Amino acid sequence: MSTSDLSRREKHYAFGGWQEVWQHTSHTLNCMMNFSVYLPPQAATGPVPVLYWLSGLTCNEQNLITKAGFQRYAAELGVMVVAMDTSPRGSDVADDSAWDLGQGAGFYINATEQPWASHFRMYEYVVDELPNIIAAHFPTNGRQAIAGHSMGGHGALMIALKNPGRFSSVSAFAPIVAPSRVAWGQKAFNAYLGHDTRHWQQWDSLCLVEQGQPLPPALIDQGLDDPFYPEQLTTELLETACQARGMIAHFRYHEHYDHSYYFISSFIEEHMRFHATALQL
């Protein structure tokens, strides 16, 4: 991809660095896609590590950059932060009238069923296409971490598990840790992957841990006043599985906090410092 294939849509100065939003034609998703990049001040003089952020249902690249308040800490720590939309978009992209399926609900998997398979390949986009763009056009030193919220927490954990050694660390806020066992995941997986639940296991973090896939150092935060906990967010299932396998995974449960970005903004500094420490190893 040449620089001319990228179009910068936003540029804002924040804490000595630049918050940018870019648009490009995704050959993986067959549509136009937006992604955001925060370039800390250190990126002006040399390459820096990257934290990839995956957002939740109905969200896009704007939620993190406008609500979480991470830029202050990314600037201090010298970490580039990249966030992307949660699905392919466009009038020719398949959709559903429900908020938890179709556009805005890509679940970070590669769909195999039509009409979804033509566009919904978010796993490939996050793992291959977008990192290649970042490496080619932005000052990264190649070290990577990954994080996410809700559906994006599912995506971050699952992608880290499926790509051992690639990420220095992973973290999640209120993740869907066992999508095969809850209504949100079952609805999406049935549509995107078909009725054979055996095909779902490769996209399910709990299944991957139980199958022996390694997890990098992990930090998982869950609010106890989250309306989706515990029915959709079966956090303890993953905690038990990680403990049984001796994985370095810290699970924290917080009274009064819900599913919103008020929760994320309350603990984003700790997540940024957790990743910065791992990225410097």
Side-chain angles (χ1 to χ4, degrees):
M1 174 180 286
S2 67
T3 305
S4 61
D5 294 319
L6 291 172
S7 173
R8 188 167 56 204
R9 315 300 288 184
E10 298 182 35
K11 184 177 183 180
H12 310 284
Y13 196 60
F15 299 102
W18 293 99
Q19 179 63 68
E20 302 180 344
V21 177
W22 292 80
Q23 187 175 77
H24 73 111
T25 300
S26 168
H27 300 292
T28 300
L29 305 176
N30 297 309
C31 67
M32 298 296 292
M33 284 292 285
N34 289 346
F35 65 89
S36 65
V37 179
Y38 179 71
L39 296 166
Q42 296 85 343
T45 56
V48 296
V50 180
L51 171 64
Y52 288 93
W53 173 269
L54 282 58
S55 291
L57 288 162
T58 75
C59 295
N60 56 32
E61 80 288 342
Q62 292 289 327
N63 295 76
L64 176 76
I65 67 177
T66 59
K67 296 180 179 181
F70 73 90
Q71 289 93 342
R72 176 191 300 271
Y73 312 112
E76 174 194 340
L77 299 166
V79 177
M80 184 190 310
V81 179
V82 175
M84 72 292 299
D85 204 345
T86 54
S87 80
R89 305 271 186 175
S91 59
D92 62 338
V93 175
D95 201 6
D96 190 271
S97 59
W99 62 274
D100 54 355
L101 186 68
Q103 295 187 35
F107 267 82
Y108 304 101
I109 65 176
N110 288 340
T112 57
E113 302 297 304
Q114 294 297 352
W116 312 104
S118 299
H119 297 278
F120 281 70
R121 302 185 62 82
M122 284 298 294
Y123 174 82
E124 185 178 344
Y125 179 74
V126 174
V127 171
D128 293 324
E129 185 174 17
L130 185 56
N132 287 337
I133 293 172
I134 298 302
H137 300 289
F138 298 92
T140 172
N141 63 12
R143 296 192 63 80
Q144 302 175 82
I146 192 166
H149 170 230
S150 192
M151 177 186 72
H154 141 73
L157 290 166
M158 176 268 293
I159 288 171
L161 285 160
K162 288 173 69 69
N163 296 271
R166 180 163 183 172
F167 299 99
S168 300
S169 51
V170 59
S171 74
F173 291 88
I176 308 170
V177 303
S180 297
R181 301 192 186 189
V182 300
W184 279 346
Q186 290 167 351
K187 180 177 181 177
F189 284 13
N190 189 66
Y192 299 148
L193 302 172
H195 305 317
D196 189 341
T197 58
R198 292 173 298 179
H199 299 320
W200 301 4
Q201 295 183 10
Q202 65 176 307
W203 309 107
D204 186 303
S205 295
L206 179 61
C207 292
L208 291 168
V209 168
E210 291 176 340
Q211 291 166 10
Q213 287 294 106
L215 186 70
L219 174 63
I220 295 94
D221 279 324
Q222 176 62 59
L224 293 177
D225 279 4
D226 187 325
F228 306 114
Y229 172 80
E231 286 78 10
Q232 304 284 3
L233 313 171
T234 52
T235 319
E236 286 87 353
L237 293 179
L238 186 65
E239 181 178 16
T240 299
C242 289
Q243 288 176 345
R245 287 153 184 81
M247 294 180 172
I248 304 173
H250 302 285
F251 289 78
R252 309 189 303 184
Y253 300 85
H254 306 274
E255 291 185 356
H256 310 306
Y257 285 97
D258 58 22
H259 199 70
S260 71
Y261 268 79
Y262 295 108
F263 172 42
I264 294 171
S265 64
S266 297
F267 297 99
I268 194 67
E269 177 183 1
E270 295 176 33
H271 282 242
M272 291 298 305
R273 295 191 185 282
F274 167 75
H275 288 297
T277 298
L279 287 164
Q280 293 170 2
L281 295 177

